[in-house]
Amino acid sequence: MTDRTDAGAAGGVGGAGGAGRAARTGATRWTPVRPDHPDHPDHPDHPAPVDPAAATAPIAPIAPPEAAVPRPLGEIRRWPRSFAHRLTTPLPGVRALARLAREGALRPGPEGLRGIPDLPCAPAPVPEARPGTVSVTWVGHAGWVLRTGGLTVLTDPVWSRRILGTPARLTPVGVRWEDLPPVDAVVISHNHYDHLDAPTLRRLPRHTACFVPAGLGRWFRRRGFERVTELDWWECAELGGVRFEFVPAHHWSKRSLLDGCRTLWGGWILTDTEHGKKVYFAGDTGYGHWFAEIGRRHPGMDLALLPIGAYAPRWWLRDVHTDPEEAVRACLDLGARRMAPMHWATFVLSAEPVMEPLHRVRAAWERAGLDRELLWDLPIGASRTF
């Protein structure tokens, strides 16, 4: 989710209109052909008729071949000026902005905010790293301390009390900075302010390995980071005993008035290369076809860290943020054994009541007939190990 400054600059993150949609229409002259010709409608090799609704559906990019050889660490690469062609839904247009301004539904009402004292927060020490195990500790929002393959990795770290354009945190950071084990690597999903927090990153040693989306490396190198690896979708790199693969998401990027979609967005799969254990970090994403494709390429996913908050009003945010029910559906598409919800209980970014995401994800998990023990609905600061 972008902060409100981004939303205002780009016209928000939902709705209809703008770039990213490629509609293809036009009439084709029909010429009678023999029944035994492949162009005849009754011939077995004749293609199926096109669904008219599909003619105006967003055209997704064609997935490249399976990832194989890891890219070199710290490789400096050239990228296209824009990744707007990777959008799976259009960015909002004038009508959507006008409706949002008219309705003004960007924050919960007083009733929705009454749940703030109930937000789960139970800080505890980060588990020790043991060979062959994976531990995850929820810092808050999309931030995790992930220990796997001998490494300690931070995802989208935000230790700041507030981010640009939003109220202060509702809950404290789950792990105090001084209590962190030495950080080996950071993964970033995209450049929105609630996922790429410059004050937090300034706390890291400049030799920390940074894995970032295509086009974002310059931002890190300008700040003195020495080991920055940029990846495109389905590309990977390896550090120590962990493989980092960047995978698609249904989202977008923007950090200022003039840089919309100049850098890529996505999620990460971290694999312990010795023991084969896989964790999927979704970053920020709407629901869509990419989950099934990621699951096909990575069968046997052990854990999916999936967003469940910042989804209301739905007409505005459905394209870029999964709601709790969609997150459970995404977990099933991925074929992941466990799911840990995130992207809620930290910042007020949208209009749903603050406790609603937790209640809805638990209900959706139960309706799906899934083992309750495999839904890791952790309090902020809590950990699980497998």
Side-chain angles (χ1 to χ4, degrees):
M1 171 66 186
T2 181
D3 63 80
R4 292 301 135 197
T5 299
D6 279 350
V13 292
R21 183 180 300 276
R24 299 291 181 263
T25 59
T28 301
R29 184 178 179 181
W30 181 79
T31 303
V33 294
R34 293 168 52 87
D36 58 348
H37 192 279
D39 287 340
H40 193 280
D42 294 331
H43 192 278
D45 293 332
H46 185 74
V50 175
D51 180 358
T56 58
I59 298 177
I62 298 174
E66 310 294 326
V69 180
R71 305 288 307 194
L73 292 172
E75 180 183 19
I76 296 178
R77 305 169 67 179
R78 297 184 65 180
W79 301 103
R81 182 171 175 80
S82 173
F83 292 93
H85 61 289
R86 303 287 185 91
L87 292 168
T88 46
T89 54
L91 296 180
V94 175
R95 289 184 180 179
L97 287 171
R99 178 180 174 183
L100 186 69
R102 184 171 63 250
E103 296 180 0
L106 289 175
R107 298 287 186 269
E111 186 65 30
L113 293 173
R114 287 178 186 170
I116 290 176
D118 300 322
L119 292 171
C121 186
V126 175
E128 293 183 8
R130 300 191 304 272
T133 67
V134 176
S135 75
V136 292
T137 304
W138 190 27
V139 175
H141 202 51
W144 297 84
V145 181
L146 200 159
R147 310 195 79 180
T148 181
L151 301 183
T152 297
V153 182
L154 302 184
T155 70
D156 287 0
V158 179
W159 261 255
S160 297
R161 183 172 177 267
R162 66 169 67 239
I163 54 174
L164 187 63
T166 68
R169 300 177 79 103
L170 301 176
T171 47
V173 180
V175 181
R176 296 188 311 165
W177 189 265
E178 55 268 30
D179 293 337
L180 278 174
V183 176
D184 299 293
V186 169
V187 298
I188 300 295
S189 63
H190 65 298
N191 72 354
H192 287 159
Y193 281 87
D194 58 325
H195 294 259
L196 179 63
D197 183 51
T200 297
L201 292 168
R202 279 198 294 267
R203 298 185 179 194
L204 291 167
R206 294 306 184 263
H207 63 264
T208 305
C210 300
F211 295 89
V212 305
L216 196 53
R218 180 181 297 180
W219 189 94
F220 279 81
R221 287 189 289 269
R222 284 177 174 173
R223 286 156 179 80
F225 286 95
E226 303 161 0
R227 304 167 66 200
V228 183
T229 302
E230 298 174 88
L231 297 178
D232 200 346
W233 288 349
W234 308 118
E235 291 184 338
C236 66
E238 292 187 2
L239 175 69
V242 178
R243 172 173 289 203
F244 297 76
E245 181 175 342
F246 193 50
V247 295
H250 300 275
H251 206 62
W252 64 305
S253 69
K254 189 176 183 68
R255 201 166 172 88
S256 69
L257 286 171
L258 301 176
D259 67 350
C261 297
R262 294 283 181 85
T263 64
L264 198 49
W265 54 90
W268 293 90
I269 293 175
L270 277 64
T271 304
D272 180 335
T273 55
E274 180 178 355
H275 301 94
K277 295 189 174 182
K278 294 184 180 182
V279 177
Y280 167 61
F281 168 65
D284 210 351
T285 181
Y287 179 78
H289 67 283
W290 284 128
F291 292 111
E293 178 63 15
I294 293 167
R296 185 188 71 80
R297 291 168 178 257
H298 291 277
M301 196 87 67
D302 294 288
L303 172 64
L305 310 175
L306 288 165
I308 65 168
Y311 52 79
R314 204 73 199 112
W315 68 267
W316 176 249
L317 292 168
R318 71 164 60 91
D319 292 334
V320 291
H321 287 166
T322 52
D323 64 22
E325 293 77 15
E326 290 169 334
V328 172
R329 185 177 174 188
C331 184
L332 294 172
D333 291 350
L334 290 162
R337 177 172 171 76
R338 306 167 184 85
M339 171 181 160
M342 64 175 185
H343 207 268
W344 77 285
T346 309
F347 298 106
V348 175
L349 300 172
S350 54
E352 73 271 7
V354 295
M355 281 294 293
E356 183 181 274
L358 180 62
H359 300 322
R360 284 177 55 173
V361 77
R362 287 173 174 173
W365 193 265
E366 182 178 0
R367 285 195 302 270
L370 300 171
D371 185 343
R372 181 63 181 84
E373 294 299 315
L374 299 179
L375 177 63
W376 287 5
D377 46 348
L378 303 178
I380 290 174
S383 306
R384 286 285 183 90
T385 300
F386 65 90

